[in-house]
Amino acid sequence: MSSCLLFLMTPRPPPPPLIHADRYPPLAGSANLPTSRRPCPRPGQRHGYLFRCDSSSSSSAPRDRPPRPRQQRQRSQRPGGRGDAVDPVGFLAKLGVTDRAFAQFLRDRHKALKDRRWELCSRFIDLKEASSGFELLGMHRHRQHRIDFMEWAPGARYCSLVGDFNAWSPTENCAREGHLGHDDFGYWFIILEDKLREGQEPDEFFFQEYNYVDDYDKGDNGVDAEEIMHRMKEEYWEPGEIRSRKSQLEMVVKLYEQMFGPNGPQTEEELGEIPDAQTRYNEWKALQKCDSSSLSPSYDIIDSGQPFDIFNVVTDRASFEKFQAKKPPLAYWVEMRKGRIAWLEKYVPTISHKDKYRIYFNTPDGALERVPAWATYVLPDAEGKQSYAVHWEPSPEEIYKWKFGRPKVKGSLRIYECHVGISGSEQSVSSFQEFTSKVLPHVKNAGYNAVQLIGVVEHKDYSSVGYKVTNYFAVSSRFGTPDDFKKLVDEAHGLGLVVLLDIVHSYASADELVGLSLFDGSNDCYFHSGKRGHHKYWGTRMFKYDDVDVLHFLLSNLNWWVTEYQIDGFQFHSLSSMLYTHNGFSTFTGAIEEYCNQYVDKDALIYLILANEMLHDLHPDIITIAEDATFYPGLCEPTTQGGLGFDYCVNLSIPEMWLWHLENVPEQEWSMNKIMKVLVSSNQNMLSYVENHNQSISGRKSFAEIILNSGKFSIGSVDGDFIRASLLKIIKLITFTTSGGAYLNFMGNEFAHPKRVEFPMSSNDYSFRLANRQWELLDKGFHKHLFDFDKDVMSLDENERIISRGSPKIHHCDDTSMVISFTRGPFLFAFNFNPELSHQSYHVGVDEAGEYQLILNTDETKYGGCGELKSSQYMRRTCDKRVNGCHNSLELALPSRSAQVYKLVRILRI
C-alpha cells in the first residue's frame, strides 16, 4: 500500500503530448524540467526511459507493457515503403542469378548487416540517431548563453579550441579530464561561456535562458522571477499536491494515522493481526468519504497481492483523467527566458560570427592543430597553406530564410550536371551568386528538371575538380558562403529544379593540415591503417567502414546536406573505389564470383545499405544514384531483397562506347548491334549520358571537339560543321530515348561546347583559359541549332514522358544499312547512322496498325539539317507487310545521319 502511494505521489512526467519521444526518450529525473532544458545525450551515451500508464487503457484491466527499446529499434529500422518481407537473396531470382557462392555471400553479408545495426543501435538507438551527429558535434549555440563544442578524436590526450576569440591560446578553452573532458569513445566536449558585460550580474536561476537564435524577443516583460514561480504553483499544482511534494513520506504518515490513530503501534508485536487487503481498502475508502476536507488526490489503489507492478495498478479514472488534462507550466518557463535584446545588453558572445578557429590536440607524437572535422565553413589563410574553420552564426536578421519548398520529379529525371567554379564566361572561379543568377535560368529554359552539382563540398586542391574532399560538412569557400549556397538551392527549387549533390564517400583527401588524415595524430582514426588505408593510384585515404564512429560521421554527413541545405538527392561517386580492396583497378570479365571474392569489401557494401535505408526512411522523396563502373549486382534492388537500395545506377559503359567509336572506328564501320547491346543491356533504373565532365578533363577531349575538329567526319561540299554536328544529334537522341528513366548532360554539351575543361594546375601554369564556359556561342551558328534540338528533346519528354515508359522494344538493327528502329509505348524511333546513304523508302516493323505522326526530325532546317523530308511525309500509315517479325510496317524516308520520332495518333482495327 505505502509503496503504491509513494509511486503515485512522486512527481510525474507531463501529459503524453508534451513528451517529444520522436526525438529523444525522456531522461530519468527530467520530468520537472522544461523540455528545452533536458540535457542532450552525448555520443555513446545510453538513454534512460520513463514508463507511464496509458490513459486510454481500461481502469479495470491490466495495462499492456509498452514495447521494449529493442523492439522499437527493430521497427524503426525497417525501410518503409521498400518491401516488408526480408529476403537476403530475393533479387537473385529476378535477375536470373543461380550462383550458390554469391547467394551464400549475400546471406553472410545480411548477418553482418544485422550485427552492424546492433552495434549502431547499442550506441545511438536507431539510424535516425546515428545520422544526426551534426546536432551535437561541431560548434552549436546553447540557449544558456554559451557555445558547446564536441569533437571525436580518440587518439588525442588533450583537446582545446584556439582562435581569434582567445588569442589562439591552447590552454584557455580546453576539455578537462574528468570534467567535461572526453568519454570512453573519444568524444571531447568543450563549453565556451559567453562573457558577462561589465557591471552586469550573473543570472540567479540555473535554468535562465536567452533566445539568441530567435528573431524576436520573449519574456522581456519585467515580471519578477519570484512572482513567476508563485503563479506557476498557484495555477498548476493543487494545494494538496504542493504539500505532498514537500516530503514524499508525508502522505504515508497521514495514512498511517488514519488507520491506527496518532499513537498507533510502533512494533510488529503491538500491531497484531492485519486485516486482509480488501478490508483495509474499504475502511480507508470510508474514511476518505467522511473526510471531505482532504486535499489529497483521490487515487484509489487496490492491492491484489501480486508482486508490485506499475502496470497492474488500478486507479480512480476520474482523478486520473483530471491529472492527465493538466497543462504543464510551459508558459512560465517561456517567461523565464530573455530575448536577444536583453542578451545583447548583458552578454558578449564568447566567439563571434566569422571568427576563425582551429582545434588543438596534444598527442603521443606532439602538439597538432587541425580544422575540426564537423566544421561547416572553412577558409584558407593568407598564405594559402593552412586553413581554418570559421564560426558561422549570422544574426536572426541576416540568417537565410527559405522561400520555396522542395519540388517533386514527375516522370523521368533529366539532369544538368554543373561545376559552379567553371560556370562563368570569365577566366576565373565563378561564385554561387553568379551561378544562381545566370546558369539556373538557362537550365530551366533548356528543359531540364534537375541540377547535379560537383565540387561543392570543401576541398583544398581545386585541380581535383572537388573530388579530394577535405571538410565534409562545409561548402567550398571558393564559391561563397553557406547562405549563398542556400539561396542557390532555394532559387533552383523555385524554378522547379531538384538539386542533387555529387558526394564523395568512397575516399578522402590525404591532406593532413586540413582534412581527416592523421586527424588526432593516429593513422587509423577515420581510415584504415597500412596499405588498405591508401588508394593505390590516386593518393587518397580510404574510410574504415566497419567502425561505428566512422559510420556515425558518414551517415550524419548525408543527413546534414539534406537537413541543412535542402538537398534532394545524391550521386555516390566512384563506388568501385570503395567496394573492392583493389579500388576497382582490376580486369572484370562479368563472372559473378568477382562480386563475392576476397577482394570485395563487405563493410563498404553494408555502409551503402545503411545509407540508403536511412535516407529513404527519413526523407522519402530522396533520390540516390550509384556510380559504379563494375555494375555490382543489386545496386537498384530493395535492401529488403538483398539489394543496395539505390534509385538509379549510372551506365558508364555508354560514354566509353561512344568515345571508342569516335576515336578508333571509321564511321562507315560502326556496328549497330554492338551499340544497341550497350545502350539497352540493363535498361531499368539506368541513368544514361553521352558524356559528362570526365570526358573533357585530364587531357581528354569533349565529343564536340573530337567531331567538329576532325576531318574524317566531313563529307561533300555542304557546310562541314553542320554535317558533322548531325552525328552529335543522333548520338544524343538514341542515348536519351534508350535510357532507363534518367538522363544526364554536362554543362555546355547541350550546345556542343567546342573546348574541353582543364582546371588550373602545374602542367598549364595554373591557367584558367579552359576553366570556363563560352555561353556566347548559344546564339551562333550550329551551336544555336544544337541547343534548339536539345531543348526540344527535353520538352518532348516533359510532355510525353518518353523515357519513363517501359523498356525499348527493338524491331530492327541492321549493320549493313546502319539503320536502327525500336518502339517505346506509342512512340517509334528510327535512326540512320549511315554517313553517306539516304533511304527514300525503308520499311520498319511496328506492332500496332495505325497512323503515326512525325513529332521530331533531326534533319529539320531549324536544327541545322538539310530539310529533305516534305510536309506530306510527316504523317505515315501502316501497311500489312510483315517486317522484322511484326504484322505491320511503316515506309519511311531516312536521310543519312538523321533520326526521327513518330507517335501513334490513331489505331486502326482490322
Side-chain angles (χ1 to χ4, degrees):
M1 285 283 292
S2 60
S3 60
C4 291
L5 280 170
L6 270 173
F7 170 77
L8 287 170
M9 301 318 300
T10 349
R12 302 303 306 277
L18 294 164
I19 301 178
H20 301 286
D22 59 330
R23 189 65 197 92
Y24 292 116
L27 295 176
S30 64
N32 291 330
L33 291 176
T35 53
S36 62
R37 279 292 301 119
R38 288 178 184 157
C40 293
R42 299 169 65 181
Q45 198 173 39
R46 298 297 299 271
H47 299 277
Y49 286 83
L50 267 179
F51 297 109
R52 55 179 175 79
C53 297
D54 187 359
S55 59
S56 63
S57 304
S58 171
S59 60
S60 60
R63 272 70 171 173
D64 293 332
R65 292 182 183 272
R68 294 178 298 175
R70 176 58 182 164
Q71 294 170 331
Q72 291 173 339
R73 294 168 188 164
Q74 289 174 342
R75 283 202 299 271
S76 65
Q77 290 163 358
R78 295 176 69 177
R82 301 177 73 78
D84 290 333
V86 178
D87 183 359
V89 296
F91 79 91
L92 294 184
K94 175 182 177 181
L95 301 182
V97 178
T98 58
D99 189 274
R100 290 187 177 182
F102 186 66
Q104 185 58 45
F105 174 84
L106 293 180
R107 293 187 180 95
D108 293 340
R109 189 187 73 187
H110 182 67
K111 293 178 182 177
L113 172 63
K114 292 193 292 184
D115 292 339
R116 191 63 41 80
R117 282 204 191 103
W118 172 249
E119 288 182 73
L120 282 170
C121 292
S122 299
R123 293 272 299 279
F124 305 106
I125 296 182
D126 56 17
L127 279 180
K128 181 179 181 180
E129 193 77 19
S131 61
S132 301
F134 54 85
E135 296 182 357
L136 293 176
L137 283 105
M139 191 168 286
H140 300 278
R141 173 156 292 281
H142 194 280
R143 298 187 73 98
Q144 283 189 323
H145 45 80
R146 77 186 201 208
I147 293 285
D148 292 346
F149 177 83
M150 188 179 290
E151 188 65 77
W152 181 60
R157 295 175 173 175
Y158 173 89
C159 175
S160 67
L161 282 175
V162 297
D164 295 336
F165 63 96
N166 62 7
W168 299 87
S169 169
T171 58
E172 184 172 341
N173 299 101
C174 62
R176 297 174 294 279
E177 182 69 31
H179 177 66
L180 302 180
H182 66 84
D183 62 12
D184 294 338
F185 302 102
Y187 287 89
W188 297 83
F189 187 57
I190 300 174
I191 290 180
L192 306 178
E193 296 283 356
D194 290 330
K195 301 171 184 176
L196 196 66
R197 293 185 183 272
E198 186 175 354
Q200 296 289 339
E201 296 293 330
D203 291 318
E204 178 182 358
F205 296 95
F206 170 77
F207 46 79
Q208 182 69 63
E209 297 178 3
Y210 289 83
N211 298 346
Y212 178 84
V213 298
D214 293 341
D215 58 354
Y216 57 89
D217 287 338
K218 295 179 182 177
D220 292 335
N221 50 17
V223 179
D224 183 74
E226 295 294 337
E227 176 66 19
I228 290 177
M229 300 297 288
H230 176 72
R231 288 184 189 177
M232 180 180 66
K233 292 179 181 179
E234 289 294 323
E235 296 184 18
Y236 179 65
W237 303 113
E238 295 181 6
E241 291 178 309
I242 295 177
R243 283 191 74 236
S244 68
R245 277 160 179 75
K246 293 180 180 179
S247 171
Q248 292 184 344
L249 296 178
E250 183 176 349
M251 186 58 64
V252 180
V253 172
K254 183 177 180 181
L255 177 60
Y256 185 84
E257 290 183 352
Q258 288 177 348
M259 294 177 63
F260 301 105
N263 298 317
Q266 303 296 316
T267 64
E268 292 186 8
E269 290 77 9
E270 295 179 9
L271 180 62
E273 185 177 355
I274 302 177
D276 62 277
Q278 188 64 43
T279 302
R280 296 199 313 270
Y281 169 74
N282 292 336
E283 292 176 354
W284 178 80
K285 186 64 177 176
L287 290 174
Q288 290 295 104
K289 291 180 179 178
C290 297
D291 187 8
S292 59
S293 62
S294 175
L295 298 177
S296 61
S298 57
Y299 284 104
D300 290 1
I301 312 300
I302 298 178
D303 184 357
S304 62
Q306 299 178 359
F308 174 72
D309 191 320
I310 61 174
F311 299 105
N312 293 330
V313 172
V314 181
T315 65
D316 174 63
R317 187 168 185 80
S319 296
F320 188 79
E321 290 179 351
K322 179 181 178 182
F323 178 81
Q324 292 288 72
K326 290 181 179 181
K327 303 296 182 183
L330 294 180
Y332 299 110
W333 293 111
V334 170
E335 291 197 32
M336 286 298 293
R337 300 172 184 166
K338 300 296 181 182
R340 180 170 169 79
I341 296 175
W343 184 91
L344 289 173
E345 291 176 354
K346 191 167 186 177
Y347 289 95
V348 176
T350 180
I351 178 170
S352 301
H353 177 49
K354 295 186 178 180
D355 273 1
K356 300 176 290 186
Y357 69 97
R358 283 196 288 264
I359 191 168
Y360 175 92
F361 292 127
N362 191 349
T363 71
D365 295 327
L368 299 173
E369 281 191 19
R370 294 285 188 259
V371 174
W374 300 73
T376 58
Y377 193 37
V378 178
L379 288 174
D381 70 356
E383 290 76 23
K385 296 179 180 179
Q386 173 75 331
S387 298
Y388 49 79
V390 175
H391 180 53
W392 190 257
E393 189 184 22
S395 64
E397 297 81 12
E398 298 175 351
I399 197 169
Y400 187 81
K401 298 175 179 61
W402 295 90
K403 296 180 294 184
F404 304 103
R406 285 190 174 102
K408 293 184 179 180
V409 175
K410 297 179 180 179
S412 61
L413 195 62
R414 303 183 299 277
I415 303 173
Y416 194 86
E417 186 185 41
C418 312
H419 187 285
V420 174
I422 65 171
S423 63
S425 300
E426 303 297 327
Q427 295 184 17
S428 60
V429 178
S430 191
S431 67
F432 288 136
Q433 294 180 354
E434 293 170 334
F435 184 90
T436 302
S437 61
K438 298 178 181 179
V439 181
L440 284 181
H442 167 75
V443 177
K444 178 65 177 178
N445 179 51
Y448 293 86
N449 59 8
V451 175
Q452 181 170 300
L453 300 172
I454 62 176
V456 166
V457 187
E458 184 61 67
H459 51 284
K460 181 179 179 181
D461 184 6
Y462 187 54
S463 65
S464 71
V465 198
Y467 286 121
K468 293 185 178 181
V469 177
T470 53
N471 309 99
Y472 279 82
F473 289 83
V475 296
S476 178
S477 57
R478 293 179 180 85
F479 313 138
T481 67
D483 284 356
D484 291 338
F485 184 60
K486 288 181 180 179
K487 183 178 181 181
L488 186 157
V489 176
D490 201 20
E491 292 297 328
H493 287 168
L495 294 172
L497 303 172
V498 300
V499 180
L500 309 176
L501 195 65
D502 206 359
I503 198 76
V504 187
H505 283 184
S506 48
Y507 52 84
S509 170
D511 193 287
E512 298 177 8
L513 296 179
V514 187
L516 300 176
S517 185
L518 299 179
F519 181 71
D520 61 353
S522 62
N523 195 37
D524 58 351
C525 182
Y526 285 94
F527 309 109
H528 288 291
S529 57
K531 292 183 178 180
R532 192 177 177 188
H534 298 267
H535 195 286
K536 295 180 181 296
Y537 300 99
W538 295 345
T540 52
R541 299 302 309 270
M542 307 305 297
F543 283 107
K544 189 165 50 175
Y545 299 104
D546 60 341
D547 190 283
V548 170
D549 295 290
V550 175
L551 291 178
H552 180 49
F553 177 84
L554 295 176
L555 292 173
S556 297
N557 183 241
L558 295 173
N559 197 14
W560 159 261
W561 289 103
V562 181
T563 304
E564 180 69 13
Y565 292 106
Q566 305 292 306
I567 293 298
D568 302 292
F570 300 96
Q571 175 173 292
F572 285 72
H573 172 75
S574 187
L575 296 189
S576 307
S577 300
M578 62 188 290
L579 294 183
Y580 308 95
T581 56
H582 51 62
N583 304 131
F585 285 83
S586 178
T587 302
F588 280 83
T589 63
I592 197 68
E593 60 127 13
E594 295 171 340
Y595 303 112
C596 58
N597 58 24
Q598 70 272 25
Y599 302 110
V600 177
D601 191 339
K602 189 183 299 182
D603 296 317
L605 290 167
I606 290 174
Y607 161 66
L608 294 175
I609 294 173
L610 294 173
N612 275 296
E613 287 187 354
M614 180 274 296
L615 287 171
H616 288 94
D617 285 351
L618 300 186
H619 314 284
D621 294 324
I622 204 76
I623 300 169
T624 58
I625 304 171
E627 185 190 56
D628 175 28
T630 67
F631 295 96
Y632 195 88
L635 282 173
C636 297
E637 300 298 330
T639 58
T640 54
Q641 299 300 302
L644 300 186
F646 287 96
D647 297 301
Y648 298 96
C649 58
V650 180
N651 191 339
L652 295 169
S653 300
I654 293 176
E656 295 299 326
M657 179 266 295
W658 288 125
L659 181 63
W660 181 78
H661 276 84
L662 289 173
E663 291 186 334
N664 302 289
V665 183
E667 193 177 0
Q668 295 85 351
E669 299 178 11
W670 285 15
S671 170
M672 302 297 102
N673 283 284
K674 289 181 179 179
I675 290 174
M676 290 305 292
K677 183 178 181 181
V678 174
L679 289 174
V680 299
S681 58
S682 180
N683 182 261
Q684 291 185 343
N685 305 100
M686 188 68 71
L687 186 152
S688 303
Y689 61 89
V690 176
E691 54 181 328
N692 70 348
H693 66 277
N694 287 326
Q695 272 62 51
S696 55
I697 61 174
S698 304
R700 305 174 74 176
K701 297 180 180 180
S702 67
F703 285 8
E705 188 173 4
I706 294 174
I707 293 176
L708 299 177
N709 296 338
S710 176
K712 65 179 180 178
F713 293 104
S714 178
I715 61 171
S717 59
V718 187
D719 188 331
D721 284 342
F722 287 98
I723 294 296
R724 292 191 293 269
S726 63
L727 182 59
L728 268 179
K729 288 184 291 185
I730 60 175
I731 287 177
K732 287 188 175 185
L733 183 61
I734 195 170
T735 303
F736 180 81
T737 53
T738 55
S739 63
Y743 175 80
L744 180 142
N745 171 75
F746 181 60
M747 177 176 58
N749 290 346
E750 72 277 11
F751 61 90
H753 196 281
K755 298 295 183 181
R756 64 184 181 277
V757 177
E758 193 175 273
F759 284 81
M761 59 186 71
S762 58
S763 61
N764 58 18
D765 295 327
Y766 300 97
S767 170
F768 283 86
R769 188 176 62 87
L770 296 177
N772 59 353
R773 297 281 88 179
Q774 299 177 357
W775 296 107
E776 67 276 6
L777 296 177
L778 271 171
D779 299 322
K780 296 181 180 179
F782 67 89
H783 294 287
K784 180 181 185 304
H785 294 309
L786 283 172
F787 174 65
D788 291 340
F789 168 74
D790 192 89
K791 180 179 177 181
D792 285 353
V793 172
M794 298 301 114
S795 177
L796 181 64
D797 183 71
E798 173 70 20
N799 298 327
E800 302 289 353
R801 302 286 191 266
I802 290 179
I803 65 174
S804 58
R805 298 177 183 267
S807 299
K809 185 176 181 180
I810 302 173
H811 294 292
H812 184 76
C813 189
D814 191 342
D815 287 342
T816 302
S817 63
M818 300 185 70
V819 173
I820 299 172
S821 73
F822 58 88
T823 57
R824 198 164 188 176
F827 300 97
L828 169 69
F829 306 90
F831 296 83
N832 182 9
F833 275 85
N834 198 305
E836 300 174 349
L837 181 62
S838 297
H839 303 282
Q840 298 302 321
S841 178
Y842 199 95
H843 287 269
V844 295
V846 291
D847 291 322
E848 196 72 58
E851 294 180 349
Y852 287 77
Q853 174 72 44
L854 181 65
I855 57 177
L856 185 70
N857 177 21
T858 65
D859 193 50
E860 290 189 26
T861 55
K862 66 178 180 178
Y863 301 142
C866 301
E868 294 185 13
L869 265 68
K870 300 177 182 179
S871 58
S872 59
Q873 297 174 293
Y874 277 32
M875 178 69 75
R876 310 303 296 171
R877 187 168 181 168
T878 59
C879 61
D880 57 2
K881 181 180 179 180
R882 295 179 63 91
V883 177
N884 307 127
C886 300
H887 292 284
N888 306 283
S889 63
L890 281 176
E891 184 180 354
L892 305 177
L894 299 175
S896 62
R897 276 189 181 147
S898 70
Q900 300 164 11
V901 180
Y902 291 85
K903 181 181 180 181
L904 177 63
V905 294
R906 183 183 178 189
I907 300 176
L908 300 179
R909 300 297 183 190
I910 300 176

